[in-house]
Protein backbone atom coordinates (compact mmCIF):
# COMPACT_ATOMS: atom_id res chain seq x y z
CA UNK A 1 0.00 0.00 0.00
CA UNK A 2 2.80 2.37 0.96
CA UNK A 3 4.60 1.68 -2.33
CA UNK A 4 1.41 2.53 -4.22
CA UNK A 5 1.09 5.84 -2.40
CA UNK A 6 4.72 6.72 -3.10
CA UNK A 7 4.30 5.81 -6.76
CA UNK A 8 1.18 7.96 -7.00
CA UNK A 9 2.97 10.89 -5.35
CA UNK A 10 5.84 10.59 -7.82
CA UNK A 11 3.37 10.45 -10.70
CA UNK A 12 1.56 13.57 -9.51
CA UNK A 13 4.85 15.40 -9.08
CA UNK A 14 5.97 14.37 -12.54
CA UNK A 15 2.62 15.35 -14.05
CA UNK A 16 2.82 18.77 -12.41
CA UNK A 17 6.31 19.27 -13.73
CA UNK A 18 5.51 18.29 -17.27
CA UNK A 19 2.29 20.30 -17.26
CA UNK A 20 4.33 23.51 -17.26
CA UNK A 21 4.23 25.33 -20.58
CA UNK A 22 7.86 26.07 -21.43
CA UNK A 23 11.05 24.02 -21.48
CA UNK A 24 14.58 24.99 -22.45
CA UNK A 25 17.72 23.21 -23.58
CA UNK A 26 21.00 24.48 -22.13
CA UNK A 27 23.86 23.59 -24.46
CA UNK A 28 27.28 23.77 -22.77
CA UNK A 29 30.81 22.66 -23.57
CA UNK A 30 30.37 20.09 -20.79
CA UNK A 31 27.19 18.62 -22.23
CA UNK A 32 23.51 19.54 -22.32
CA UNK A 33 20.76 19.71 -19.74
CA UNK A 34 17.06 20.53 -19.87
CA UNK A 35 15.05 22.97 -17.76
CA UNK A 36 11.35 23.54 -17.19
CA UNK A 37 10.08 27.05 -16.37
CA UNK A 38 7.29 27.42 -13.82
CA UNK A 39 4.00 28.89 -14.98
CA UNK A 40 3.36 30.22 -11.47
CA UNK A 41 6.29 32.66 -11.83
CA UNK A 42 5.09 34.18 -15.12
CA UNK A 43 7.11 37.40 -15.15
CA UNK A 44 10.45 35.65 -14.69
CA UNK A 45 9.39 32.99 -17.16
CA UNK A 46 8.60 35.60 -19.79
CA UNK A 47 11.78 37.56 -19.05
CA UNK A 48 13.99 34.53 -19.78
CA UNK A 49 11.96 33.45 -22.80
CA UNK A 50 12.29 36.93 -24.29
CA UNK A 51 16.02 36.96 -23.54
CA UNK A 52 16.39 33.67 -25.40
CA UNK A 53 14.35 35.07 -28.29
CA UNK A 54 16.67 38.10 -28.39
CA UNK A 55 19.81 35.89 -28.34
CA UNK A 56 20.99 37.42 -25.08
CA UNK A 57 22.32 34.03 -24.00
CA UNK A 58 23.67 32.88 -27.35
CA UNK A 59 27.33 33.13 -26.31
CA UNK A 60 26.92 33.31 -22.54
CA UNK A 61 29.21 32.11 -19.77
CA UNK A 62 28.77 30.48 -16.42
CA UNK A 63 31.08 33.03 -14.83
CA UNK A 64 30.68 32.28 -11.12
CA UNK A 65 30.92 28.70 -9.92
CA UNK A 66 30.92 27.64 -6.27
CA UNK A 67 30.91 23.92 -5.54
CA UNK A 68 28.08 22.85 -3.22
CA UNK A 69 26.37 26.21 -3.76
CA UNK A 70 25.54 27.65 -7.20
CA UNK A 71 26.49 27.83 -10.86
CA UNK A 72 25.77 31.38 -12.04
CA UNK A 73 25.65 32.79 -15.55
CA UNK A 74 24.71 35.79 -17.63
CA UNK A 75 25.72 39.32 -16.70
CA UNK A 76 28.18 39.38 -13.80
CA UNK A 77 27.56 41.40 -10.63
CA UNK A 78 30.74 43.41 -11.26
CA UNK A 79 29.67 44.32 -14.79
CA UNK A 80 26.21 45.33 -13.63
CA UNK A 81 27.66 47.49 -10.86
CA UNK A 82 29.99 49.18 -13.35
CA UNK A 83 27.19 49.80 -15.85
CA UNK A 84 24.92 51.26 -13.16
CA UNK A 85 27.48 53.22 -11.14
CA UNK A 86 26.11 56.62 -12.22
CA UNK A 87 22.44 55.70 -11.89
CA UNK A 88 20.08 56.46 -9.02
CA UNK A 89 18.41 53.46 -7.41
CA UNK A 90 15.11 54.26 -9.13
CA UNK A 91 16.85 54.14 -12.52
CA UNK A 92 18.23 50.63 -12.07
CA UNK A 93 16.15 48.11 -14.01
CA UNK A 94 14.92 45.21 -11.89
CA UNK A 95 12.08 42.69 -11.96
CA UNK A 96 9.83 42.41 -8.90
CA UNK A 97 10.26 39.09 -7.04
CA UNK A 98 7.82 36.23 -7.50
CA UNK A 99 8.00 34.10 -4.38
CA UNK A 100 5.92 30.95 -4.42
CA UNK A 101 5.93 28.22 -1.78
CA UNK A 102 6.04 25.61 -4.57
CA UNK A 103 9.39 27.03 -5.74
CA UNK A 104 12.36 26.42 -3.47
CA UNK A 105 16.14 26.08 -3.65
CA UNK A 106 16.46 22.33 -4.08
CA UNK A 107 19.31 20.90 -6.14
CA UNK A 108 18.73 21.82 -9.79
CA UNK A 109 16.53 24.84 -9.05
CA UNK A 110 16.80 27.78 -11.45
CA UNK A 111 16.89 31.19 -9.79
CA UNK A 112 17.28 34.85 -10.70
CA UNK A 113 20.30 36.72 -9.34
CA UNK A 114 20.01 40.09 -7.64
CA UNK A 115 21.88 42.64 -5.57
CA UNK A 116 21.05 43.70 -2.01
CA UNK A 117 18.11 45.92 -3.00
CA UNK A 118 15.43 46.01 -0.25
CA UNK A 119 12.66 44.86 -2.60
CA UNK A 120 14.55 41.62 -3.39
CA UNK A 121 13.97 42.39 -7.07
CA UNK A 122 15.85 40.38 -9.70
CA UNK A 123 18.51 41.35 -12.20
CA UNK A 124 17.22 41.20 -15.77
CA UNK A 125 20.06 39.14 -17.19
CA UNK A 126 21.55 36.90 -14.51
CA UNK A 127 20.53 33.37 -13.62
CA UNK A 128 21.87 30.65 -11.35
CA UNK A 129 21.38 26.96 -10.68
CA UNK A 130 21.49 25.42 -7.23
CA UNK A 131 23.98 22.59 -6.82
CA UNK A 132 23.45 22.71 -3.10
CA UNK A 133 24.94 21.21 0.02
CA UNK A 134 23.80 18.86 2.76
CA UNK A 135 20.83 20.09 4.77
CA UNK A 136 19.86 18.93 8.27
CA UNK A 137 16.51 19.02 10.03
CA UNK A 138 18.08 21.51 12.43
CA UNK A 139 18.78 23.80 9.47
CA UNK A 140 15.17 23.58 8.28
CA UNK A 141 13.71 24.10 11.76
CA UNK A 142 15.91 27.15 12.32
CA UNK A 143 14.84 28.69 9.03
CA UNK A 144 11.15 28.12 9.79
CA UNK A 145 11.55 29.61 13.26
CA UNK A 146 13.35 32.72 12.06
CA UNK A 147 11.36 33.67 8.97
CA UNK A 148 7.86 33.57 7.51
CA UNK A 149 8.47 30.46 5.40
CA UNK A 150 7.12 26.97 6.00
CA UNK A 151 8.08 23.75 4.22
CA UNK A 152 5.88 20.85 3.25
CA UNK A 153 6.88 17.33 4.26
CA UNK A 154 7.82 16.63 0.65
CA UNK A 155 10.08 19.69 0.50
CA UNK A 156 11.77 18.76 3.77
CA UNK A 157 12.46 15.26 2.49
CA UNK A 158 13.83 16.71 -0.74
CA UNK A 159 16.26 18.91 1.18
CA UNK A 160 17.24 16.18 3.64
CA UNK A 161 17.91 13.50 1.04
CA UNK A 162 19.20 15.55 -1.91
CA UNK A 163 20.45 18.79 -0.38
CA UNK A 164 20.03 22.35 -1.59
CA UNK A 165 20.29 25.92 -0.33
CA UNK A 166 17.17 26.61 1.76
CA UNK A 167 18.62 29.77 3.30
CA UNK A 168 17.91 31.52 -0.03
CA UNK A 169 14.19 30.68 0.01
CA UNK A 170 12.03 33.78 0.19
CA UNK A 171 14.98 36.01 -0.70
CA UNK A 172 15.72 35.02 -4.31
CA UNK A 173 13.12 34.09 -6.92
CA UNK A 174 13.13 30.46 -8.10
CA UNK A 175 11.35 30.07 -11.42
CA UNK A 176 12.31 26.69 -12.86
CA UNK A 177 14.33 23.53 -12.41
CA UNK A 178 16.52 21.03 -14.23
CA UNK A 179 14.58 17.92 -15.22
CA UNK A 180 17.21 16.15 -17.32
CA UNK A 181 21.00 16.25 -17.31
CA UNK A 182 21.56 17.28 -13.69
CA UNK A 183 24.85 15.37 -13.78
CA UNK A 184 26.15 17.87 -16.35
CA UNK A 185 25.39 20.76 -14.01
CA UNK A 186 27.08 18.95 -11.12
CA UNK A 187 30.18 18.41 -13.26
CA UNK A 188 30.28 22.12 -14.06
CA UNK A 189 29.98 22.92 -10.35
CA UNK A 190 33.30 21.13 -9.74
CA UNK A 191 35.45 22.96 -12.31
CA UNK A 192 38.56 24.69 -11.03
CA UNK A 193 38.10 28.38 -10.26
CA UNK A 194 40.16 31.36 -9.19
CA UNK A 195 39.85 33.32 -5.94
CA UNK A 196 36.86 35.21 -7.36
CA UNK A 197 34.99 31.96 -8.20
CA UNK A 198 35.54 32.43 -11.94
CA UNK A 199 36.24 29.19 -13.87
CA UNK A 200 39.87 28.95 -14.99
CA UNK A 201 38.62 27.64 -18.33
CA UNK A 202 35.52 29.14 -19.93
CA UNK A 203 32.20 27.37 -19.40
CA UNK A 204 30.06 28.42 -22.33
CA UNK A 205 26.32 27.97 -22.64
CA UNK A 206 23.51 28.71 -25.06
CA UNK A 207 19.79 28.40 -24.42
CA UNK A 208 17.41 26.94 -26.98
CA UNK A 209 13.64 26.64 -26.63
CA UNK A 210 12.25 23.11 -26.70
CA UNK A 211 9.14 23.12 -28.85
Amino acid sequence: MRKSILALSALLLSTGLWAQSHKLLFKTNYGDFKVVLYDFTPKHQELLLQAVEDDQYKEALFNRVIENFVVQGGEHDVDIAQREKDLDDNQKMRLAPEFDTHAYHKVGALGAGRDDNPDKASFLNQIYFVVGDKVSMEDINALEDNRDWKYTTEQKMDYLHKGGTPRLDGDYTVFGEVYQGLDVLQTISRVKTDQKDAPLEKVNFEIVKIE
Side-chain angles (χ1 to χ4, degrees):
M1 180 67 175
R2 184 180 179 185
K3 288 183 178 180
S4 298
I5 294 174
L6 290 175
L8 178 59
S9 298
L11 177 61
L12 290 174
L13 177 61
S14 175
T15 301
L17 179 64
W18 284 97
Q20 306 302 314
S21 302
H22 298 281
K23 301 177 180 66
L24 302 172
L25 172 67
F26 278 68
K27 303 170 69 174
T28 86
N29 51 327
Y30 283 80
D32 301 343
F33 59 92
K34 295 180 179 180
V35 172
V36 61
L37 302 180
Y38 299 147
D39 289 341
F40 48 82
T41 50
K43 294 179 181 178
H44 283 74
Q45 179 191 78
E46 180 56 33
L47 177 67
L48 184 54
L49 290 173
Q50 189 60 55
V52 173
E53 189 74 26
D54 294 340
D55 289 333
Q56 291 183 32
Y57 289 97
K58 190 169 185 179
E59 297 179 354
L61 295 173
F62 284 121
N63 47 37
R64 182 169 177 252
V65 175
I66 305 176
E67 187 174 1
N68 299 323
F69 184 42
V70 297
V71 171
Q72 179 180 294
E75 195 171 16
H76 198 285
D77 301 51
V78 174
D79 297 324
I80 296 173
Q82 178 62 27
R83 177 169 52 77
E84 297 182 340
K85 63 184 179 65
D86 296 323
L87 299 179
D88 295 331
D89 286 345
N90 60 3
Q91 294 177 303
K92 297 176 181 178
M93 299 297 291
R94 299 288 185 271
L95 182 64
E98 293 180 290
F99 299 135
D100 190 292
T101 55
H102 295 92
Y104 56 107
H105 284 80
K106 60 184 176 181
V107 172
L110 166 64
R114 68 171 179 86
D115 54 10
D116 60 355
N117 71 87
D119 296 326
K120 302 180 181 179
S122 306
F123 287 140
L124 302 187
N125 188 27
Q126 185 187 98
I127 58 175
Y128 64 87
F129 289 96
V130 175
V131 289
D133 202 353
K134 292 182 179 179
V135 179
S136 69
M137 185 57 75
E138 288 74 15
D139 295 331
I140 295 174
N141 289 338
L143 287 169
E144 288 191 324
D145 289 342
N146 295 325
R147 59 172 60 181
D148 185 23
W149 193 273
K150 299 299 179 183
Y151 294 103
T152 66
T153 299
E154 178 188 328
Q155 291 171 341
K156 290 179 181 178
M157 292 301 100
D158 210 352
Y159 273 137
L160 292 174
H161 294 296
K162 298 178 183 178
T165 316
R167 62 185 175 83
L168 299 182
D169 291 331
D171 280 331
Y172 291 77
T173 296
V174 170
F175 63 106
E177 65 181 86
V178 175
Y179 69 87
Q180 185 176 318
L182 184 59
D183 58 318
V184 173
L185 189 63
Q186 295 286 16
T187 298
I188 293 172
S189 76
R190 293 189 288 270
V191 300
K192 292 182 179 180
T193 59
D194 62 20
Q195 293 181 341
K196 295 183 179 180
D197 303 317
L200 297 181
E201 296 184 4
K202 288 184 178 181
V203 183
N204 306 297
F205 73 94
E206 178 182 355
I207 310 176
V208 179
K209 291 181 182 179
I210 298 176
E211 302 297 337

